């Protein structure tokens, strides 16, 4: 004598038995999907089954205790409460790999497993520290400039700038000829010493009347604010002396100059 009431009573008993099986963990992991399919009529039961399956999966993940297992869990159960724990395990593993890396390539290898904004920033700082140590060993202006271009947000950025200033100053004090000053000024235009190098060339022209300095200056620094003044000073200097040879030399070298 099947009745609606008896069917409801049987349904309730079956569900109660299912909860007891879940509580006693009698349902195996590979059976969960079958139960989920059978009890699809009840959202409440489905939620309990999915939670139970996730707990079993996480327990298995902990037993394996590998980065691959935790990554698989995160991918399969992203909305489960255990996903945060698994993700924390993954992040700790990746950060440990970054900390232990002794070159930039190993840092990149660690990032291939998993990355996010936090880990990416952490990795960039680590790569910056590794690169800076390498740059210190090379210890040239060019090496520091390359470092700055690759790691503009590195903690060592200011130290690299200071190293460039020290190296440039050491190089600047050894300069003596107009061509050396010119090469320095054109190679390191972003350094304040570049302007001092041009000043030194102009001083050689005005104070020492150096033809070599003049040739170097007029050829390489046409945009310098003193260019026209130097040009005219040089010409007047020779006309005052009255010598024909210097003026002829000047005319031959600079035929487009508007003689006064």
């Amino acid at each position: 004598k099947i009745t609606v009431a008896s069917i409801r009573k049987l349904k309730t008993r079956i569900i109660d038995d299912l909860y007891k099986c879940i509580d006693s963990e009698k349902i195996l992991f590979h059976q969960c999907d079958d139960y989920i399919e059978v009890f699809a009529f009840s959202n409440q039961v489905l939620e309990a089954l999915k939670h139970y399956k996730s707990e079993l999966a996480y327990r298995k993940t902990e037993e394996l205790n590998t980065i691959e297992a935790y990554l698989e869990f995160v991918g399969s159960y992203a909305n489960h409460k255990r996903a945060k724990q698994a993700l924390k395990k993954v992040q700790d593993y990746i950060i440990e790999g970054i900390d232990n890396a002794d070159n930039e390539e190993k840092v990149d290898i660690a990032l291939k497993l998993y990355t996010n904004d936090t880990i990416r920033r952490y990795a960039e700082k680590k790569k910056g520290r590794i690169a800076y140590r390498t740059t210190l060993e090379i210890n040239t202006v060019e090496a520091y400039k390359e470092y700055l271009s690759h790691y503009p947000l590195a903690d060592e950025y200011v130290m690299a700038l200071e190293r460039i200033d020290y190296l440039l100053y050491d190089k600047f004090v050894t300069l003596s000829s107009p061509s050396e000053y010119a090469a320095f000024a054109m190679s390191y235009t972003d350094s304040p010493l570049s302007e001092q190098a041009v000043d030194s060339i102009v001083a050689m022209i005005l104070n020492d009347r150096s033809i070599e300095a003049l040739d170097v200056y007029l050829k390489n620094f046409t945009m310098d604010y003193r260019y026209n003044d130097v040009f005219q000073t040089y010409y007047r200097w020779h006309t005052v002396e009255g010598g024909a040879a210097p003026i002829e030399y000047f005319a031959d070298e600079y035929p487009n100059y508007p003689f006064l």
Side-chain angles (χ1 to χ4, degrees):
K1 294 182 179 181
I2 300 175
T3 64
V4 172
S6 66
I7 292 175
R8 287 176 177 171
K9 183 177 180 180
L10 178 61
K11 176 183 176 182
T12 300
R13 182 174 64 80
I14 291 173
I15 291 176
D16 288 343
D17 287 345
L18 174 66
Y19 283 132
K20 291 177 182 178
C21 289
I22 291 175
D23 292 338
S24 60
E25 299 185 1
K26 290 184 178 180
I27 300 175
L28 301 179
F29 179 81
H30 68 274
Q31 297 174 320
C32 288
D33 288 339
D34 291 335
Y35 280 90
I36 288 173
E37 181 180 355
V38 170
F39 286 89
F41 60 85
S42 171
N43 290 333
Q44 185 175 356
V45 175
L46 276 180
E47 189 66 26
L49 282 168
K50 289 179 179 179
H51 177 78
Y52 174 71
K53 180 183 178 183
S54 299
E55 288 294 325
L56 291 181
Y58 191 74
R59 191 179 303 171
K60 182 65 175 178
T61 299
E62 287 185 313
E63 292 174 1
L64 294 173
N65 196 32
T66 64
I67 185 65
E68 291 78 13
Y70 285 110
L71 280 170
E72 183 178 352
F73 181 87
V74 171
S76 301
Y77 305 97
N79 296 322
H80 191 263
K81 67 178 184 179
R82 296 284 192 179
K84 288 186 177 180
Q85 291 177 250
L87 186 58
K88 179 67 166 53
K89 293 276 189 180
V90 171
Q91 291 177 334
D92 290 346
Y93 181 90
I94 300 298
I95 288 176
E96 182 181 0
I98 293 172
D99 286 337
N100 294 332
D102 55 6
N103 60 56
E104 295 178 68
E105 183 180 357
K106 289 182 180 179
V107 174
D108 290 333
I109 291 173
L111 292 177
K112 288 181 180 179
L113 293 173
Y114 175 83
T115 187
N116 56 27
D117 290 342
T118 300
I119 291 177
R120 195 175 296 110
R121 286 193 295 269
Y122 190 86
E124 280 299 305
K125 286 185 177 293
K126 174 65 175 185
K127 290 173 68 174
R129 290 193 296 272
I130 294 173
Y132 188 68
R133 288 198 298 268
T134 302
T135 305
L136 282 175
E137 294 175 1
I138 301 172
N139 199 37
T140 64
V141 172
E142 291 69 27
Y144 286 112
K145 283 189 172 184
E146 183 177 358
Y147 169 81
L148 293 175
S149 68
H150 283 90
Y151 299 99
L153 300 178
D155 294 337
E156 297 79 10
Y157 191 90
V158 174
M159 289 188 288
L161 286 175
E162 291 175 347
R163 292 298 305 168
I164 290 176
D165 289 341
Y166 294 146
L167 290 173
L168 287 180
Y169 180 78
D170 288 343
K171 187 170 185 176
F172 181 79
V173 296
T174 66
L175 305 177
S176 60
S177 69
S179 58
E180 289 175 343
Y181 280 114
F184 182 94
M186 291 184 292
S187 298
Y188 309 111
T189 55
D190 53 349
S191 170
L193 293 173
S194 174
E195 185 175 344
Q196 292 186 38
V198 179
D199 290 344
S200 298
I201 298 174
V202 173
M204 290 179 180
I205 297 169
L206 301 180
N207 300 333
D208 304 331
R209 296 188 177 184
S210 169
I211 296 296
E212 179 188 0
L214 179 74
D215 289 341
V216 169
Y217 177 84
L218 294 179
K219 178 180 178 182
N220 297 295
F221 302 103
T222 57
M223 301 304 294
D224 184 64
Y225 69 96
R226 296 160 293 191
Y227 190 82
N228 288 334
D229 291 338
V230 171
F231 223 138
Q232 294 177 19
T233 298
Y234 174 69
Y235 177 69
R236 286 196 298 268
W237 164 41
H238 286 291
T239 57
V240 169
E241 288 190 354
I247 296 177
E248 291 173 358
Y249 166 82
F250 187 95
D252 290 339
E253 289 294 315
Y254 311 106
N256 295 323
Y257 177 74
F259 290 94
L260 300 177

